Amino acid sequence: MLTLTENASTIVKTLTEQTVDSPQGGLRISSTEENSQAFAVTVVPAPEADDQIVIGGDARVFIEENASPALSDKVLDAQLDVFLDPHDPDV
């Protein structure tokens, strides 16, 4: 089963809280083909009926059934990069 690092849990929870107004919300990872290494990631208000639900801390990640086999032994990590606009006078 996919596991989340502490950083990933924090970022997923923050993204979810800022994007959807639902306590069942989370990050959904999907794939168009089984065992594909190409994934789509979206923030959604609730999981789909067949999604695997992974909970890490207060974060929820929903894995679509086609993506599940490829992610079953993986660890999700994340980091926040800050983009500074060189044209912004306040930077």
Side-chain angles (χ1 to χ4, degrees):
M1 176 184 288
L2 179 75
T3 57
L4 281 69
T5 65
E6 186 175 333
N7 283 345
S9 295
T10 300
I11 290 173
V12 168
K13 182 178 185 305
T14 301
L15 282 172
T16 303
E17 288 175 343
Q18 292 177 353
T19 306
V20 296
D21 187 24
S22 169
Q24 283 77 38
L27 192 73
R28 185 169 195 261
I29 303 173
S30 61
S31 177
T32 57
E33 297 178 23
E34 189 172 343
N35 292 320
S36 173
Q37 297 298 310
F39 304 103
V41 178
T42 54
V43 178
V44 295
E48 297 288 324
D50 292 331
D51 286 352
Q52 176 185 2
I53 301 172
V54 177
I55 298 175
D58 293 331
R60 295 165 43 101
V61 175
F62 313 129
I63 304 174
E64 183 263 338
E65 63 184 332
N66 284 336
S68 186
L71 298 174
S72 65
D73 62 344
K74 304 294 186 259
V75 176
L76 179 63
D77 193 13
Q79 78 179 44
L80 184 62
D81 291 330
V82 178
F83 173 74
L84 299 177
D85 184 350
H87 303 291
D88 185 345
D90 295 329
V91 175

